[in-house]
Amino acid sequence: MTIGISTGTRGRLRPLFGAILLLTLFLTASLPAAGQAKIFTKKARIADFPIKTVKVVMSGNAILDLALQKEMTERWYLSPYEFCSVDDFNRLESDPNYYFLRFVLRPSDPGLVFLSLMKGGTLETRQTTDTRYELVRLPFAPEGMGSTREYIFLGAFLEILQQYVEDAIAADRLGYLGLWSQNKLLKMSGLTILIADEDISPEGRQRAEQTGGAITVVETDEADAALLEGADDTLVSFCVSPYEPSLRAHCYDMLIRTDTGELYRFSRHRYTSEGKRGFGAAEINMLHNILSRNADRSDK
């Protein structure tokens, strides 16, 4: 059976066919121009990291800067580095020949200080690899930094940043995941987990007590000592949150391996009330289930 179009219908469709033809010609003519635009992946943008100098920007806090200088000397291996002032940073931040490691505040995440790793450049060079680009930022401390724990963990943070950059250079998928790419939940089998008592919520503590010792809540000093001593096969907690909860505040929960400085768990949740700070019951339950499954696999 043949389906035809009446003469009247053809007349009504003729303007539509004309519009489609014009659109097709326009798109075809635009293809070469569109083809000239280059899109660079994160892997391409940071491929030169190992051969470029990282400018380590001093914060102006004498104690923090001394700690940063010491830990950089002992821990940094991935690229050349130099220390510089904030004035140096302001002068050089548009230079793509440098990367910058510095402490920053983020209006979108109020009440926190982050350790940020950024590539220098201008925002006008988006079609090249020389555009300004933040590789990663790691939550470091509450704004004001009234604790000493961040100094204890600073060396581990430098290890974590370098491991992330290495992974991001190797695979775009890992680069775009950010610090979440460093989660190693399936590698927790046989490890001891120590949660500092200031890093766990009341509900989380209650759940940890039900894990039969698989996850142990300890005094904060004991957890920190395990990191300082490089205890074997141990994960310790570190949580970063603003001093005061709010509707916009976040708490970042981390588990760090004490003998390697590796990040094994990185998560974030809203910090809307005092009882929400640190590892909650759901997080402890998830970790316990993973430990149990990993143990079952190793027994088979």
Side-chain angles (χ1 to χ4, degrees):
M1 178 176 64
T2 302
I3 301 176
I5 301 177
S6 69
T7 303
T9 304
R10 288 194 185 95
R12 290 193 297 271
L13 291 179
R14 190 173 292 117
L16 177 61
F17 289 148
I20 293 174
L21 178 60
L22 288 174
L23 180 61
T24 302
L25 291 173
F26 173 78
L27 291 175
T28 303
S30 301
L31 284 175
Q36 293 174 4
K38 294 183 179 180
I39 300 175
F40 295 98
T41 66
K42 189 165 192 174
K43 177 180 176 179
R45 290 188 184 280
I46 66 174
D48 60 355
F49 187 92
I51 62 173
K52 294 291 180 68
T53 297
V54 173
K55 291 283 190 178
V56 184
V57 184
M58 297 288 94
S59 68
N61 179 321
I63 297 176
L64 178 58
D65 290 343
L66 284 173
L68 183 58
Q69 289 173 332
K70 174 180 180 295
E71 296 296 348
M72 283 293 298
T73 301
E74 296 179 358
R75 304 277 192 145
W76 198 264
Y77 59 85
L78 194 54
S79 68
Y81 68 88
E82 299 171 352
F83 299 104
C84 74
S85 66
V86 173
D87 288 340
D88 292 331
F89 168 76
N90 292 334
R91 179 171 53 86
L92 296 171
E93 65 176 321
S94 297
D95 191 336
N97 291 307
Y98 297 106
Y99 286 81
F100 298 92
L101 180 65
R102 62 194 185 111
F103 297 100
V104 300
L105 302 175
R106 305 291 300 186
S108 59
D109 217 335
L112 296 178
V113 177
F114 290 84
L115 192 53
S116 172
L117 192 55
M118 170 192 124
K119 183 173 186 176
T122 66
L123 298 180
E124 288 72 36
T125 54
R126 295 186 184 278
Q127 301 305 321
T128 76
T129 58
D130 290 340
T131 187
R132 186 180 305 168
Y133 195 77
E134 185 178 52
L135 283 67
V136 62
R137 60 179 178 270
L138 189 153
F140 178 70
E143 187 176 358
M145 296 180 55
S147 168
T148 59
R149 294 195 78 206
E150 48 263 24
Y151 298 99
I152 294 172
F153 282 78
L154 180 56
F157 291 159
L158 296 179
E159 298 278 1
I160 291 166
L161 290 177
Q162 290 176 99
Q163 183 60 62
Y164 167 77
V165 173
E166 286 185 304
D167 290 346
I169 291 174
D172 265 321
R173 177 182 61 84
L174 298 177
Y176 287 118
L177 283 173
L179 289 174
W180 279 269
S181 67
Q182 301 301 294
N183 280 311
K184 301 176 180 66
L185 299 180
L186 298 181
K187 296 183 178 181
M188 288 186 178
S189 178
L191 299 181
T192 298
I193 298 181
L194 302 179
I195 307 291
D197 56 4
E198 68 178 62
D199 290 339
I200 193 165
S201 70
E203 293 83 1
R205 180 187 295 271
Q206 183 178 9
R207 181 66 187 94
E209 292 171 353
Q210 300 168 354
T211 64
I215 300 172
T216 306
V217 180
V218 298
E219 295 290 332
T220 297
D221 289 346
E222 182 178 342
D224 294 350
L227 181 73
L228 289 172
E229 296 165 4
D232 293 334
D233 303 326
T234 301
L235 300 177
V236 296
S237 66
F238 186 83
C239 293
V240 183
S241 71
Y243 285 119
E244 300 294 335
S246 73
L247 294 178
R248 297 180 60 207
H250 291 99
C251 179
Y252 292 85
D253 302 330
M254 291 172 265
L255 288 176
I256 297 171
R257 182 158 176 165
T258 53
D259 50 357
T260 65
E262 294 174 273
L263 183 62
Y264 267 63
R265 178 60 177 165
F266 182 78
S267 64
R268 182 182 76 166
H269 63 268
R270 293 283 184 182
Y271 178 42
T272 55
S273 64
E274 291 292 345
K276 297 293 185 181
R277 188 184 188 279
F279 288 80
E283 179 80 357
I284 295 296
N285 191 58
M286 182 272 294
L287 292 172
H288 183 237
N289 288 340
I290 287 173
L291 290 173
S292 299
R293 285 199 298 270
N294 289 349
D296 291 341
R297 289 194 190 99
S298 63
D299 290 339
K300 293 180 180 178

